[in-house]
Amino acid sequence: MAQQLRILAQKSVGASDSSLSIQVTHTIQQIELLDSQLERVEAEMTEIMKFNDSVIMTIPGIGYINGGMILGEIGDIHRFSSPNKPLAYAGLDPIVIFRFSYSKYLI
């Protein structure tokens, strides 16, 4: 992606301003640094999730990165007494309240 941005910048219309060129070069370097850091973090998360062999990985569609993010938020999944508890903790378990003449859904 950074290489494509560099090529597009070279072909773009505009004045050949050295300060703009420096800014673009530094921005590209920052993007490349962030990309490499993200790759390392994702690789570490994958290794940690493989090592932990969490039950969360049995959920269809949950990969190592998503599973790691979920566990990072909720902590030890075994502290919940039922499957509905983590959903409620995350605010994803809607409840219905009935009061006299109306009902209300809370999410």
Short mmCIF file of all heavy atoms in Angstrom, two decimals, residues 98-103:
data_model
loop_
_atom_site.label_atom_id
_atom_site.label_comp_id
_atom_site.label_asym_id
_atom_site.label_seq_id
_atom_site.Cartn_x
_atom_site.Cartn_y
_atom_site.Cartn_z
N PHE A 98 -41.94 -5.53 30.88
CA PHE A 98 -43.38 -5.30 30.75
C PHE A 98 -43.84 -4.48 31.94
O PHE A 98 -43.66 -4.86 33.09
CB PHE A 98 -44.13 -6.64 30.72
CG PHE A 98 -43.90 -7.42 29.47
CD1 PHE A 98 -43.02 -8.49 29.44
CD2 PHE A 98 -44.56 -7.08 28.29
CE1 PHE A 98 -42.80 -9.21 28.29
CE2 PHE A 98 -44.34 -7.80 27.13
CZ PHE A 98 -43.47 -8.86 27.14
N ARG A 99 -44.48 -3.37 31.64
CA ARG A 99 -45.03 -2.52 32.69
C ARG A 99 -46.44 -2.10 32.28
O ARG A 99 -46.63 -1.48 31.25
CB ARG A 99 -44.18 -1.27 32.88
CG ARG A 99 -42.78 -1.57 33.33
CD ARG A 99 -42.43 -0.77 34.56
NE ARG A 99 -41.16 -1.23 35.09
CZ ARG A 99 -40.04 -0.53 35.06
NH1 ARG A 99 -40.04 0.67 34.54
NH2 ARG A 99 -38.95 -1.02 35.55
N PHE A 100 -47.38 -2.48 33.03
CA PHE A 100 -48.77 -2.11 32.84
C PHE A 100 -49.21 -2.21 31.38
O PHE A 100 -49.46 -3.28 30.88
CB PHE A 100 -49.06 -0.73 33.43
CG PHE A 100 -48.77 -0.67 34.89
CD1 PHE A 100 -47.71 0.08 35.36
CD2 PHE A 100 -49.53 -1.39 35.80
CE1 PHE A 100 -47.41 0.12 36.71
CE2 PHE A 100 -49.25 -1.34 37.15
CZ PHE A 100 -48.18 -0.59 37.61
N SER A 101 -49.23 -1.10 30.69
CA SER A 101 -49.81 -1.11 29.33
C SER A 101 -48.77 -1.02 28.22
O SER A 101 -49.14 -0.87 27.07
CB SER A 101 -50.79 0.06 29.19
OG SER A 101 -50.10 1.28 29.34
N TYR A 102 -47.51 -1.13 28.50
CA TYR A 102 -46.51 -1.04 27.43
C TYR A 102 -45.37 -2.02 27.70
O TYR A 102 -45.17 -2.48 28.82
CB TYR A 102 -45.97 0.38 27.27
CG TYR A 102 -45.01 0.81 28.35
CD1 TYR A 102 -43.64 0.66 28.18
CD2 TYR A 102 -45.47 1.39 29.53
CE1 TYR A 102 -42.76 1.05 29.16
CE2 TYR A 102 -44.59 1.78 30.53
CZ TYR A 102 -43.24 1.61 30.33
OH TYR A 102 -42.37 2.00 31.30
N SER A 103 -44.67 -2.29 26.67
CA SER A 103 -43.46 -3.11 26.84
C SER A 103 -42.30 -2.36 26.22
O SER A 103 -42.46 -1.56 25.31
CB SER A 103 -43.63 -4.48 26.18
OG SER A 103 -43.77 -4.34 24.80
#
